[in-house]
Amino acid sequence: MMMRMVPIRAIGLLVGAILFAGGASAQDRTAVERQFQSWLQSDIWPAARAKGVSRQAFESAFRGVSLNWKLPDLVPPGSRRQTPKKQRQAEFGSPGKYFNRGSVDGATAVGRQMAKTHARTLAAVERTTGVPGRIILAIWGRESGYGRVAIPHNVFEVLGTKGFMATRADYFRRELIAALQIAEAGHAPEAAMKSSWAGALGQPQFMPTNFLNHAADGDGDGRADIWRSEADTIASIGNYLRHFGWVPGRDWGYEIALPANVSCTLEGPDRGRPLADWEAMGIARVSGKPFPDVERRGEMFLMLPAGRNGPAFLVTPNFYVIKDYNESDLYALFVGHVGDRIQYGVGDFAAGWGAVGGLYRSDIAVMQRALEREGKDVGGADGLPGFKTRREIGSWQERNGERATCFPTKAMMGRLR
């Protein structure tokens, strides 16, 4: 899936299906269901009609649809949002688990086959968009296993439920209207309107608004079919990345050796420097090869997905374009790494992943709130150790006379709260 501001991993990630109203009685749920059906008629139908959706398409979309209480991040009417505890996604578990052998090797092996099968389409899309075929392939593989993984959910059930009572209901309401527009236009057969748990569609896992804005015709038949056409899937991913600023000619990033005297708090897309500045600090590629000359004409950014407990990278603006597809450092790193394996046959990262992770999301949120009380910007107390959280943890460690590692650990829990 592809959702610009939120990760939508239905493929390859463990999603904690948290039910905030898990103890609600059947009677309570029946009352909420009535409210949902009323909302569809009084709110969604007028909004859909204003976008050209017919009554027939609307009724067909919602025939037999009811609330899906198993979806994550639900806040039923009258309840208060709670902080889920038992979640184990890679963003707050061990980062190394995201790069498990099966996922990396599977995406690479099938990606190489797809590179041969679709060589002409990939080359044409790269000429048009500037996006390397290996990056498109890696995204396709991560999102839907190159179209081989079944997408399980009814998109109208998912977006209806989340538009009615999710933590970001307004966002999902807009996506629901867009899904109805897709159905009205006949872009996909009704049976193909399946989605991830967050409402993402088709082989590239586009959210409905992104389909309307970025889907492309790659096979020349006048349609953009991300469900059945592999060429259209390739063209659509390339078109999306071009729209969000892919810089032709530049790579996504390079694994580096980070000297001990270079602070991990220098990480982040807002702390870019010319390559020469990083090299002056002693930073070099782990491969021993020089950085390409093209990278000297723009900024590069330090990226430490596990702080000093894992591989280190200098990345280009293209890394953050990949993040526009899915807002996760690990996702973008997986895509870049698998793309390199597909095309260049590279091996694993030179540095291993340290024994970190195992924290609940709520544990990290406690640390984030403690840092916020000190006036620090951690990017929000969401329980996810993004770059702002990582570097503020590093700064906290430095203020307390410790070696900065820039990653939350269990040992910090009793002290940073």
Side-chain angles (χ1 to χ4, degrees):
M1 139 210 172
M2 192 278 326
M3 191 161 135
R4 183 165 182 242
M5 42 321 244
V6 180
I8 59 141
R9 293 268 60 71
I11 311 299
L13 284 183
L14 294 177
V15 178
I18 307 302
L19 179 59
F20 288 107
S25 68
Q27 183 176 5
D28 292 336
R29 291 191 178 188
T30 299
V32 173
E33 184 71 48
R34 287 197 297 268
Q35 294 178 54
F36 170 63
Q37 296 297 334
S38 177
W39 173 78
L40 289 177
Q41 299 301 323
S42 63
D43 185 358
I44 299 305
W45 163 236
R49 180 175 55 192
K51 291 290 187 178
V53 177
S54 67
R55 186 69 190 183
Q56 179 181 357
F58 179 85
E59 291 181 352
S60 178
F62 291 107
R63 186 174 298 117
V65 167
S66 59
L67 291 170
N68 184 341
W69 292 87
K70 295 181 179 180
L71 295 174
D73 300 324
L74 301 184
V75 185
S79 68
R80 292 182 296 177
R81 183 176 181 178
Q82 301 175 23
T83 301
K85 187 167 187 178
K86 294 198 173 183
Q87 296 195 31
R88 293 289 190 180
Q89 287 177 317
E91 284 84 357
F92 45 86
S94 172
K97 291 182 179 179
Y98 203 98
F99 299 86
N100 68 80
R101 187 85 276 147
S103 294
V104 171
D105 288 353
T108 300
V110 180
R112 289 172 179 162
Q113 297 171 16
M114 291 297 187
K116 295 177 182 179
T117 301
H118 299 288
R120 292 181 61 182
T121 299
L122 288 163
V125 171
E126 183 166 350
R127 286 193 300 271
T128 301
T129 66
V131 181
R134 73 183 194 278
I135 298 297
I136 294 173
L137 287 169
I139 288 175
W140 185 15
R142 187 62 182 173
E143 294 297 338
S144 67
Y146 303 98
R148 300 181 180 190
V149 175
I151 309 300
H153 301 291
N154 179 322
V155 67
F156 300 109
E157 176 185 272
V158 168
L159 293 176
T161 299
K162 295 179 83 69
F164 178 65
M165 60 176 187
T167 55
R168 299 178 65 246
D170 289 345
Y171 169 77
F172 288 107
R173 179 186 179 278
R174 290 193 297 273
E175 295 298 337
L176 177 58
I177 302 301
L180 289 165
Q181 291 177 263
I182 292 170
E184 174 66 32
H187 290 295
E190 185 175 343
M193 291 296 281
K194 299 292 184 180
S195 77
S196 71
W197 64 266
L201 299 167
Q203 296 189 46
Q205 284 288 272
F206 273 10
M207 292 302 289
T209 55
N210 285 316
F211 173 87
L212 295 176
N213 292 330
H214 306 300
D217 176 15
D219 55 19
D221 67 353
R223 296 166 49 85
D225 185 348
I226 63 171
W227 294 270
R228 295 163 294 189
S229 171
E230 295 177 331
D232 289 2
T233 294
I234 291 168
S236 297
I237 294 172
N239 192 47
Y240 179 88
L241 295 177
R242 175 181 63 175
H243 174 84
F244 285 104
W246 186 273
V247 182
R250 298 197 71 181
D251 212 323
W252 66 269
Y254 307 85
E255 188 181 358
I256 60 166
L258 186 67
N261 64 338
V262 178
S263 176
C264 54
T265 63
L266 296 177
E267 180 185 9
D270 53 351
R271 297 186 178 177
R273 299 167 182 252
L275 176 58
D277 289 1
W278 294 113
E279 289 179 317
M281 299 179 195
I283 288 175
R285 295 176 67 180
V286 295
S287 66
K289 297 178 181 178
F291 290 97
D293 288 342
V294 67
E295 306 299 5
R296 300 188 180 279
R297 297 196 285 270
E299 287 188 318
M300 300 191 76
F301 312 87
L302 183 62
M303 205 280 290
L304 304 170
R308 283 193 171 274
N309 304 294
F313 305 88
L314 279 186
V315 299
T316 75
N318 287 337
F319 177 86
Y320 297 103
V321 174
I322 298 173
K323 279 191 68 176
D324 277 320
Y325 207 98
N326 186 302
E327 191 62 33
S328 163
D329 288 335
L330 297 178
Y331 176 90
L333 183 58
F334 183 95
V335 166
H337 180 56
V338 167
D340 289 351
R341 294 173 76 100
I342 289 171
Q343 184 163 335
Y344 305 128
V346 301
D348 295 338
F349 297 129
W353 297 95
V356 292
L359 293 174
Y360 291 125
R361 184 166 169 175
S362 54
D363 295 331
I364 297 174
V366 168
M367 299 182 203
Q368 290 170 322
R369 285 191 288 270
L371 290 167
E372 285 181 332
R373 287 193 294 272
E374 296 181 15
K376 308 304 181 183
D377 179 10
V378 296
D382 58 2
L384 301 176
F387 74 91
K388 289 185 177 181
T389 294
R390 294 196 294 267
R391 70 190 185 193
E392 288 300 342
I393 283 177
S395 294
W396 175 82
Q397 291 172 312
E398 290 176 344
R399 291 194 300 274
N400 285 274
E402 301 175 11
R403 174 179 176 267
T405 61
C406 296
F407 203 78
T409 64
K410 291 181 180 179
M412 299 175 191
M413 288 174 53
R415 302 170 56 213
L416 187 54
R417 57 183 306 118

